[in-house]
């Protein structure tokens, strides 16, 4: 059944050639076997290619139709087209010499009109993916179910006012989670694209949150029942397509998980562009997830600071990625997670080659960020300053504050008795920023 | 000691005169004794005047000095000036015929250079306020401590890297909480103005959050120890003055409270302008607080949608306030909370009369919003539509989803067995918005 | 050829029934024959229904497919479908009892694969529209050409790097302008949806601006050549779909017109949602256009202050519209322009009835805004305060500043000689805002 | 009179030591004598230190008082303090080995209560600055007058409703322009900080714009009269402190200049943080100024993409500065302009050393950006791609479009005759971004 994928036939497997190479289709920083802070770069970064942007999106936007001319898009509804798409995708990952890919159920299957077709078509797709994984040596970073594109999900899936829609969502998630398990996926992701509201006037917030909490508990229970040992991930986003999404940001997701007793079962899949849309930096979201104990995985991309929607561009700022990498290393690095390129080439980037430029650039920016983070960690000055800044908390007063039995009055009385007059000290922000620039 | 307050001497007590009055210094909607949904407007709205914007802020901004010429500002450091300010403030609340006021410790006291002065000067202020409350019949909605203006708090108070600063904060909060208790305050508020960070490079997020959680636990413990029965409130804000504040929004505060075991002890004081700065509508924050069970009180003001800082303008949109009032009524209304005007007249509004225009306008906008919300509730069409929209969740399938023992597979199997094909139904957003407009 | 339009058959013609009507499908404020400030409401407001959102958009967004089930969408490529769409559209305008409609060339025609088809299919559409205008008594507020949906316009039309694309744009604009002229359109609009850039790295800004200026000059010249006496309008928007659009806002368009000698030939079509996306209020854009002498027409809708993309919702804030109406009246009202509803019902609003709710609500909000503006103008207090605020400029010093021959040194010397010490006076913002609320 | 400046006594003159130096108080990229693209780095970059942020701002913000303990701030009102500030400032510029400084009148003088004091105190300051320039070898990049801090300017200066305020502004600008001329300044800047409005309700936009246009014409006339050959610059900013500023962005300023006949007399001083506040990238504003022929000078700093106010941080992104430098080089580089650090160390950065870190980091980021821009220009691939992309405009069709006598119909007819069917081509954005990363 494997249709021979020819779309990237003219391109070689992308190799590491070092910083000075003149070849634009080579890695300059990503040397997969190079050991950085005790692991190879491949083990550290765990790169994945996503199916949706790279193989399903036709280059359309809200003001215009598709600009891409891909062979598998000419007859998008056909069995052959779906197979060609799958085969081309895994071939592309192989060409990039990256270990992983990611997919939604509907990305990889022939479209289905009802329950029976859904099960049959998705089943065929999973059989084929299993075969292709074997042939290409690629692995699944995570699977997911698309609970937002079909019109039935217009008002949400797990937060739909209609329980039949909820049941359809359960069917898709069960299928996608089972498939992820079978394909050896390292994680399973839920992105609540339409789990939010358009207007509070018709929304019962409390009921929707409870339905959503119930859903997530059912998913976790199912995971354990089938023996899936990967991580369940939620992907925060503040809005778009909805006016307001319940998984606004990492801190919001944490509160939700705590409320429904899931904080030890579910982690976050942080997307750079979603972070900035919610009013945070990318590195903030990672640092916060780490502080709250729910850091899981990364959707690598970038937004546009002047545009208020999800542009999903390929990462291209080594400076930004370096700060994120420092926080990832502080969080102990990935366990099951990795860097999935949830990024799309621009609508004008219509050539096959552009897909390579996008991914190669993204890989190298992140690899360069890892190398810079290694230098920052090994240099040690920033961490040393930070440690010294809090030194008082390791002293008598700091310990007393946290000692059992200490009261607010005890601390206030101590301030009076010692006539405390603490002076503010320099936070050295400019110096630390210069150190980062020196090491990037 | 009560200096005779003359600043508002020329103005009468502001009275309700009805919608058609030509008098600009009268209430058109706020009829304090009118019964709305079972309570008087005064009981519903529980208006408070704040000390800081109205009596302490000199009309300065980051690009220019104070424009206001108030008698108590000419010698801001003096004992007399502080007394005059207090007396004038309570006289102003009396003139507005509103029941409450709110203050920070430093708003009401002569400035202090050390611990001893702080205790003495604040003590004098509280004595005087107690006397003035008796003389004017005004009450305290809430007290708080200013943990952000003094340079020692440049890097935070409860999240300072320096435990001596933390101890100073404990001293101030203990003092302000004790004073609030003594003055019969209905709530005590913590606004973590500098509880955040400027750069992650010098910040230990995890340690700061733990210190903050500890602080809040100490405050709650102290509250119970002294027998204060008011509500402890946290006021969310996403940033400004810090680059990022830990109390970003209601959902974030909820996660924080859950993490440190305080979700049944602490509620939120929601500010309209902080809501919009964090990417939410004002009514969203109220609805979310209600869904999470932590709705407490309101800081009434408005922001400017084109300006990305806290403009703290007086509310002037009946439309916006109506939507917020609907959510407040859904939340059961205030218990200890109320509407505090955390709002300031514009820097160019330099006349004493402008303070009256600002407050009278704000009071009337909120009163009109309450009347509109009453009409919406009594009309019932919006709530009826909303209820019907979720009707499926009261049926067999909805109950089965939530029944003990139901698994994800059970629901998925049911979708298969019944070959479910749910259709999306109209959410009727435009109709509902028209109904609101009809009833405002 | 006129297919009998049945889609809105069950609905009556929408009539004015007054503020107290219980009928949700009636106008409460829009009484087309009521005289306001010397003109009927119909003459004042000149409402138009747009073809694209209401009859062409299928309810899709970037995360999901169409949700609408309209008869003319089932076979979108067919001759019959295009005819049915046109007939239904004009029937809908008739049902709403509004005078105008607006269209893009591609909205009203059967899709075309090449130049010949384009000319034939558009020609058939125009013939039919002419007939339908006669049958329904509806008129064309403006026509335009869609220079952004076809993939050929991915890099712009008048600013495309490819002159053949520019020639296609010339063909479409010539056709649409000729058609607008033939159909008696009152204006012709250019919306430069992709006249901008994605990245400066591949963009020659200067060359693109010159090509754009040339294009607009050619359009103006053609207008005069064919004897079209309507107004040429440019519609500002800051971005989306492009990263940056050249027609950022009214002030930018003015500079562009001045640069290419067109400031007396072209006006602006201001869209409320575009105004807010560019960092301005809706009323600012109108006031600025009036100050610069280029106010033309309005695209009536609203954005969402928390969402950074063009939501194109129906206007629903009487408060916002009132401020805009005050500025429109200050600008002398419309000449050829009008209020076009560039607004779409939400993706979940799938019923035919929802289209009525959207338009009826929008019409009434604007009508109510006009009535409020009338009260504000007739009350006169706001204008009187404003006039008095600048009174100094009608005095000696003000006249001297503007007198021929006065130099900077003259004015400075006068300040020295008179030892000027001007005091700031209250701008009375809170009072003025209260007055507006009193009159809305 | 020169008080001996001791504040930076412990620090040496900052020298270039190369990329590998371990010295944090040295330049790693800024080698002032290195020749880059035909000029030395010193000639290219023309760095200036500003007086206001670095020597006048006390470390205050809207939520708290000054944190800095500088000797000249302890008695801010005194003659001695002003002299010490001036001397320390020029010593600091000398220590940094940078050529220029910039000031507002009020930055350098003892505060004045009336016209006479203003003239005397500013005169003394200018005498002293002249002497200090001689002693230190430093030069003035530009002078300006502060028309926003004094309460009299609460409603604007050149756009004040009070002509006496306008006259005061004329006095200050005359004085500051004369002083700039005498001190050999290379430019004179007008920043219209309060030239905007708080509410349209009390604003006559048209009158204010005309007064502003008149003012600028008077300034230009005065410049010529006194023989000042430097450039007059306007600094765009969209808002803050006002709700809306007339000089919103470069395109708006251009339209204003065209309207009042000044487009050949006045250029723009572009601030990075103002660019991003107005919804543009920094490099966009430079490219736009270049396309419009009004590029003048740069206020170097950066904003915070998550914070909606002017943070005025030191530049620290080589990536961002590189893109800006490419546009500056495309604009032909500076003539009279330069890079003024309109940047302030953070409020917590209280040490003298922090001022050095801030400036050294900023200088080196910009120097590194210049070196990267040189590599990009010399590499040539980006410019070559860009040139090729527009090649069609140098061909027959392109020339025909711009030929005299060509009409819209001619071009449309040509599209018909040739049955044009242009295909979109790749814009290669990802490839170009990778090339930039390769060369940074």
């Amino acid at each position: 059944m494997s249709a021979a994928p020819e779309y990237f036939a003219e391109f070689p497997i992308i190799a590491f050639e070092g910083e000075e190479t003149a070849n634009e289709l080579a890695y300059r920083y990503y040397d997969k076997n190079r050991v950085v802070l005790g692991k190879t770069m491949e083990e550290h970064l765990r790169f994945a290619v996503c199916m949706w942007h790279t193989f399903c999106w036709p280059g359309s936007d809200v003001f215009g139709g598709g600009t891409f001319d891909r062979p598998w898009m000419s007859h998008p509804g056909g069995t052959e087209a779906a197979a060609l798409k799958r085969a081309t995708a895994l071939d592309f990952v192989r060409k990039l010499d990256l270990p992983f890919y990611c997919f939604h159920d509907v990305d990889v299957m022939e479209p289905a009109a009802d329950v029976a077709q859904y099960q049959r078509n998705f089943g065929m797709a999973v059989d084929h993916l299993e075969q292709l994984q074997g042939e290409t040596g690629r692995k699944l970073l995570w699977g997911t179910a698309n609970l937002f594109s079909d019109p039935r999900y217009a008002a949400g899936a797990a937060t739909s006012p209609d329980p039949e829609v909820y049941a359809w969502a359960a069917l898709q998630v069960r299928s996608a989670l089972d498939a992820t398990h079978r394909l050896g996926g390292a994680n399973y992701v839920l992105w609540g694209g339409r789990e939010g509201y358009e207007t509070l006037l018709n929304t019962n917030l409390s009921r929707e949150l409870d339905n959503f909490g119930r859903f997530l508990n059912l998913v976790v229970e199912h995971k354990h029942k089938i023996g899936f040992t990967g991580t369940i991930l939620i992907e925060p986003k503040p809005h778009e397509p909805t006016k307001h999404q319940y998984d606004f940001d990492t801190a919001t997701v944490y509160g939700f998980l705590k409320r429904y007793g899931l904080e030890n079962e579910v982690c976050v899949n942080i997307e750079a562009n979603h972070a900035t849309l919610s009013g945070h930096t990318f590195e903030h979201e990672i640092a916060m997830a780490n502080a709250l104990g729910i850091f899981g995985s990364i959707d690598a991309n970038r937004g546009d600071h002047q545009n208020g929607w999800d542009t999903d561009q390929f990462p291209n700022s080594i400076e930004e990625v370096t700060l994120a990498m420092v926080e990832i290393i502080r969080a102990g690095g990935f366990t099951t997670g990795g860097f999935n390129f949830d990024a799309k080439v621009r609508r004008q980037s219509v050539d096959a080659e552009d897909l390579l430029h996008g991914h190669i650039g993204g890989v190298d920016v992140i690899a360069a960020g890892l190398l810079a983070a290694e230098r920052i960690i090994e240099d040690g000055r920033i961490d040393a300053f930070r440690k010294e800044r809090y030194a008082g908390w390791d002293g008598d007063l700091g310990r007393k504050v946290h000692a059992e039995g200490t009261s607010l009055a005890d601390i206030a009385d101590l301030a009076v008795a010692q006539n405390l007059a603490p002076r503010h000290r320099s936070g050295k922000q400019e110096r630390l920023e210069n150190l980062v620039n020196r090491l990037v």
Side-chain angles (χ1 to χ4, degrees), chain A residues 81-320:
Chain A
L84 179 61
K85 180 166 63 172
R86 291 189 295 263
T88 308
L90 271 85
D91 182 57
F92 180 68
V93 187
R94 189 181 62 83
K95 281 283 167 75
L96 288 170
D97 199 14
L98 300 179
F100 292 107
Y101 74 110
C102 297
F103 69 82
H104 297 87
D105 50 355
V106 306
D107 299 336
V108 295
M109 63 188 277
E110 188 182 346
D114 59 25
V115 166
Q117 277 187 19
Y118 173 80
Q119 294 193 300
R120 191 191 59 225
N121 295 356
F122 187 48
M124 280 174 59
V126 175
D127 289 344
H128 188 205
L129 287 172
E130 189 168 44
Q131 173 196 335
L132 288 165
Q133 289 188 185
E135 290 170 11
T136 61
R138 304 304 118 181
K139 292 173 290 182
L140 180 61
L141 185 63
W142 46 264
T144 187
N146 178 323
L147 305 179
F148 48 90
S149 291
D150 193 278
R152 81 171 58 91
Y153 295 122
T159 63
S160 172
D162 181 350
E164 294 199 359
V165 172
Y166 190 98
W168 242 99
L171 169 64
Q172 281 188 255
V173 171
R174 194 252 308 251
S175 303
L177 181 47
D178 288 355
T180 299
H181 183 39
R182 176 175 153 204
L183 294 170
N187 309 270
Y188 183 83
V189 167
L190 293 111
W191 177 58
R194 296 200 198 267
E195 312 297 17
Y197 63 80
E198 292 302 319
T199 172
L200 282 173
L201 293 174
N202 67 15
T203 302
N204 187 326
L205 208 61
S206 185
R207 190 154 211 173
E208 295 203 356
L209 288 174
D210 284 349
N211 287 347
F212 197 11
R214 173 66 173 159
F215 194 88
L216 195 53
N217 264 295
L218 292 169
V219 171
V220 166
E221 185 190 61
H222 186 75
K223 162 198 153 159
H224 290 302
K225 192 178 296 173
I226 64 174
F228 179 61
T229 56
T231 308
I232 302 289
L233 298 167
I234 279 198
E235 182 171 327
K237 188 177 181 186
H239 42 233
E240 198 203 23
T242 68
K243 187 256 180 299
H244 199 285
Q245 187 168 319
Y246 296 134
D247 302 329
F248 194 84
D249 59 9
T250 292
T252 300
V253 167
Y254 174 81
F256 177 80
L257 295 176
K258 275 296 271 187
R259 189 164 186 228
Y260 295 101
L262 293 163
E263 72 274 19
N264 298 320
E265 291 282 357
V266 178
C267 290
V268 282
N269 182 40
I270 294 169
E271 177 172 326
N273 201 157
H274 295 177
T276 52
L277 283 172
S278 66
H280 307 293
T281 59
F282 182 24
E283 62 267 23
H284 168 89
E285 284 291 89
I286 300 168
M288 187 56 77
N290 184 26
L292 298 172
I294 57 170
F295 174 66
S297 197
I298 296 286
D299 264 15
N301 61 22
R302 79 174 196 274
D304 184 305
H305 289 299
Q306 280 76 45
N307 294 164
W309 63 91
D310 205 12
T311 64
D312 283 340
Q313 294 171 267
F314 280 90
N316 79 341
S317 168
I318 296 173
E319 292 165 356
E320 183 186 50

Side-chain angles (χ1 to χ4, degrees), chain A residues 343-397:
Chain A
K344 59 190 183 196
V345 293
R346 299 302 82 198
R347 187 174 178 262
Q348 291 186 44
S349 298
V350 297
D351 298 341
E353 186 196 64
D354 294 324
L355 290 169
L356 289 162
H357 284 302
H359 284 84
I360 291 169
V363 164
D364 256 355
V365 160
I366 292 170
L370 174 61
L371 295 172
E374 181 189 36
R375 287 190 293 273
I376 288 170
I377 302 294
E378 294 190 339
D379 175 84
R381 278 177 286 182
I382 291 175
D383 280 341
F385 177 80
R386 198 171 72 136
K387 191 168 187 325
E388 197 281 332
R389 193 167 175 247
Y390 293 90
W393 287 96
D394 301 319
D396 286 348
L397 180 54

Side-chain angles (χ1 to χ4, degrees), chain A residues 49-67:
Chain A
V49 171
C50 83
M51 287 291 295
W52 49 100
H53 285 318
T54 296
F55 293 94
C56 304
W57 178 59
S60 58
D61 64 21
V62 279
F63 292 93
T67 54

